[in-house]
Amino acid sequence: MKRNEVLRTILEADEDFIEEILTVAMKRKQQLYPDWDIRYLAMPRTEGERQRYERAWKVLTE
């Protein structure tokens, strides 16, 4: 599959497929950069939910 086709497929992906794409991309990045900590963070934009995620993130990274 050509690069343009891959990118077009990503643009048209539903939320479940996006999760799969991100998971596989993160695994591949970890293979390419084994000495790095690879992280993906998505947070809600609403203030209450964002604060909850930020508290959880703080606990996880301390």
Side-chain angles (χ1 to χ4, degrees), residues 20-40:
E20 284 184 63
I21 291 167
L22 288 171
T23 299
V24 170
M26 297 275 292
K27 286 180 183 177
R28 179 64 179 138
K29 182 109 178 181
Q30 188 65 60
Q31 289 173 344
L32 295 172
Y33 301 96
D35 295 332
W36 290 29
D37 285 327
I38 309 298
R39 298 178 185 181
Y40 167 73

Side-chain angles (χ1 to χ4, degrees), residues 40-46 49-51 53-54 57:
Y40 167 73
L41 175 63
M43 294 177 23
R45 292 184 180 178
T46 59
E49 284 294 304
R50 185 178 192 97
Q51 288 176 355
Y53 272 70
E54 286 175 348
W57 181 254

